[in-house]
């Protein structure tokens, strides 16, 4: 699911780099020794280049509707996954099914979806802004078209990587927020910190493995899943079944 979201967000990044290849690369100006002088300025290379970047951006950023639909689809999938995990844990612990209405689910998803839309939309604009400055500086240094083209193409990984970072981070954040909500909603006040315990996990988080925290008093960097790209999760410290604030179905 996380990888699927990475692929979906990376499509937007790829649309941007495809547009740069199509509009910007052919517009890269060449500055030769004999161009130095008035001719160079009169050629209006800067305006032409700027127009090429604007065209690329316009071509890459289509309608918001399809992006919204994809984001909503993944919010629903994360929610279904999270609910499944939660009920599995409760069934394993108590041997029963537990029901409780979840009125805050809508608002949690709405905020997450809006934030994701904002972040994903920022991928092409932020990338183009950085690339344009870089290209302008390289032209002013008198670099050849071949060198400019090479630099532009080497930048194609930048939005792709940012898309991956955003997608993984956001899936983790939503899953963490839903876990917190579901646990607290049935009266679970505490959890044990659990990590993936691989080489990528932060040392600080490895150090917390199995430690108990209160939901309302998280570590400085937040509850599991909230620090950037954190893949840790919260194992609920479950009260007695009678103390659970939910409808029990035997
Ligand atoms: Zn972590």
């Amino acid at each position: 699911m996380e990888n699927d979201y990475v692929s979906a967000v990376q499509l937007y990044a790829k649309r941007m780099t495809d547009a740069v290849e199509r509009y910007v690369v052919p517009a890269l100006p060449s500055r030769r020794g004999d161009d130095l002088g008035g001719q160079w300025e009169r050629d209006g290379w800067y305006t032409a280049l700027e127009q090429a970047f604007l065209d690329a951006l316009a071509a890459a950023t289509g309608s918001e509707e399809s992006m919204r639909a994809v984001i909503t689809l993944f919010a629903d999938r994360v929610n279904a996954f999270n609910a499944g995990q939660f009920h599995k844990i409760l069934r394993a612990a108590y041997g029963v099914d537990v029901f409780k209405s979840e009125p805050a689910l809508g608002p949690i998803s709405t905020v997450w979806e809006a934030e994701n839309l904002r972040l994903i939309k920022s991928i092409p604009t932020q990338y183009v802004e950085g690339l344009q400055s870089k290209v302008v500086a390289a032209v002013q240094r008198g670099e050849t078209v071949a060198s400019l083209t090479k630099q532009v193409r080497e930048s194609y990984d930048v939005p792709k990587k940012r898309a991956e970072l955003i997608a993984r981070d956001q899936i983790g954040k939503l899953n963490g927020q839903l876990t917190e909500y579901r646990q607290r909603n049935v009266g679970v006040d505490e959890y044990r910190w659990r990590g993936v315990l691989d080489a990528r996990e932060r040392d600080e988080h490895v150090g917390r493995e199995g430690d108990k925290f209160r939901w309302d008093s998280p570590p400085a960097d937040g509850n599991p899943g909230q620090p950037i790209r954190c893949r840790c999760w919260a194992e609920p410290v479950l009260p007695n079944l009678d103390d659970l604030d939910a409808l029990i179905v035997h």
Side-chain angles (χ1 to χ4, degrees):
M1 175 173 56
E2 189 183 304
N3 288 336
D4 291 345
Y5 195 47
V6 169
S7 303
V9 179
Q10 280 184 335
L11 273 184
Y12 292 104
K14 182 159 192 312
R15 213 187 273 171
M16 188 64 241
T17 53
D18 284 352
V20 167
E21 182 69 29
R22 185 168 161 210
Y23 292 95
V24 176
V25 169
L28 291 171
S30 60
R31 184 174 191 176
R32 297 207 161 86
D34 54 8
D35 282 337
L36 292 170
Q39 186 63 33
W40 178 252
E41 296 308 323
R42 280 197 303 278
D43 280 345
W45 66 274
Y46 183 85
T47 311
L49 194 59
E50 184 162 64
Q51 189 57 51
F53 274 105
L54 286 173
D55 291 346
L57 200 56
T61 50
S63 92
E64 248 176 58
E65 287 317 301
S66 67
M67 207 189 291
R68 268 183 209 282
V70 168
I71 293 169
T72 302
L73 175 78
F74 279 92
D76 292 347
R77 284 174 70 177
V78 172
N79 182 36
F81 167 81
N82 186 275
Q85 294 291 103
F86 182 61
H87 288 287
K88 205 160 87 184
I89 289 172
L90 295 180
R91 260 197 308 276
Y94 298 121
V96 294
D97 284 318
V98 161
F99 291 94
K100 179 80 191 273
S101 73
E102 295 175 322
L105 279 189
I108 290 172
S109 293
T110 303
V111 170
W112 186 82
E113 289 173 34
E115 180 66 359
N116 274 255
L117 187 66
R118 186 184 69 76
L119 285 166
I120 294 170
K121 279 167 67 181
S122 79
I123 295 172
T125 48
Q126 191 177 315
Y127 164 64
V128 159
E129 215 167 273
L131 183 62
Q132 192 170 343
S133 312
K134 208 178 144 186
V135 170
V136 167
V139 173
Q140 285 169 335
R141 282 196 303 271
E143 294 194 19
T144 62
V145 175
S147 162
L148 294 172
T149 305
K150 187 165 170 273
Q151 287 178 55
V152 168
R153 289 188 175 144
E154 279 170 359
S155 75
Y156 292 167
D157 254 5
V158 171
K160 195 178 168 194
K161 285 197 175 124
R162 184 149 178 266
E164 179 178 8
L165 176 74
I166 288 171
R168 292 199 191 284
D169 181 52
Q170 288 298 312
I171 294 279
K173 281 194 168 64
L174 179 58
N175 197 39
Q177 282 164 16
L178 293 172
T179 298
E180 173 173 1
Y181 175 60
R182 289 205 155 95
Q183 291 189 16
R184 296 180 80 167
N185 192 39
V186 297
V188 173
D189 298 325
E190 290 181 311
Y191 66 83
R192 283 187 195 282
W193 193 283
R194 295 294 179 199
V196 183
L197 300 177
D198 62 5
R200 282 199 284 138
E201 188 173 331
R202 297 163 168 80
D203 290 344
E204 273 177 279
H205 290 190
V206 173
R208 286 176 199 160
E209 182 66 20
D211 287 354
K212 242 196 247 183
F213 292 94
R214 284 187 60 84
W215 279 116
D216 60 9
S217 169
D221 60 349
N223 286 314
Q226 299 316 305
I228 193 153
R229 287 198 73 166
C230 171
R231 295 161 300 147
C232 300
W233 61 286
E235 180 189 5
V237 175
L238 294 169
N240 291 326
L241 184 57
D242 294 343
D243 294 331
L244 217 54
D245 180 12
L247 180 68
I248 314 297
V249 180
H250 289 274

